[in-house]
Amino acid sequence: METDKKYSILIVDDDKFLSEMYSIKFSERGFVVETASDGPTALSKVEAGLKPDIFLVDIVMPGMDGFELIQRLKEKNPESKQIIIILSNLGQKEDVEKGLGLGADGYIVKASATPTEVVDKVLEIVGSKV
């Protein structure tokens, strides 16, 4: 699904290699990409005025995990129309349910999707929300 709207995305992942790879894939599809290596960095970027359309959040990160980051984002701006999608290797049913229960709009398991499929899935989730 190609889109005319230029979406902005904040990729929050402590794995520098993966973060750069996803940045390239999303940029190739016309996204405006920002990255953060952890939850506190993502929160400080948001507090500094960054308003991405989409947050792509890993769960397992040092300091603050993705679940806590999602909780904090939702607390700070409960009326936000920003789309939060979890991208994690944690694929257990409990993890998926916890993430969606905290307000995530989608959940993608890294190991079961290529970077191109991740971009397609993000666009699919965004398309279902707008």
Side-chain angles (χ1 to χ4, degrees):
M1 169 177 146
E2 290 302 319
T3 177
D4 292 334
K5 179 173 177 2
K6 257 187 130 51
Y7 289 105
S8 59
I9 188 167
L10 176 59
I11 300 170
V12 187
D13 197 321
D14 62 317
D15 185 319
K16 194 168 172 42
F17 173 78
L18 284 178
S19 194
E20 286 175 6
M21 182 181 57
Y22 288 119
S23 293
I24 292 166
K25 287 294 179 189
F26 279 100
S27 295
E28 287 172 351
R29 295 290 285 274
F31 283 75
V32 176
V33 180
E34 279 279 335
T35 61
S37 58
D38 56 32
T41 304
L43 286 174
S44 66
K45 285 185 177 212
V46 170
E47 286 163 3
L50 182 69
K51 289 182 171 46
D53 299 309
I54 305 156
F55 288 88
L56 192 63
V57 179
D58 187 20
I59 296 300
V60 182
M61 296 183 288
M64 176 192 300
D65 71 16
F67 292 133
E68 185 179 345
L69 174 59
I70 292 167
Q71 238 172 333
R72 296 252 189 113
L73 289 169
K74 290 289 185 183
E75 285 167 6
K76 283 187 183 306
N77 198 348
E79 301 304 309
S80 173
K81 296 287 181 242
Q82 294 166 323
I83 295 171
I84 300 175
I85 300 169
I86 295 170
L87 177 64
S88 178
N89 276 323
L90 294 181
Q92 301 298 321
K93 187 171 184 269
E94 309 82 62
D95 297 317
V96 175
E97 286 173 355
K98 181 175 182 181
L100 297 175
L102 288 171
D105 298 289
Y107 200 111
I108 303 168
V109 179
K110 283 181 191 175
S112 64
T114 67
T116 301
E117 289 169 339
V118 168
V119 176
D120 291 340
K121 185 80 175 142
V122 165
L123 285 169
E124 189 181 301
I125 293 165
V126 169
S128 73
K129 295 288 175 187
V130 282

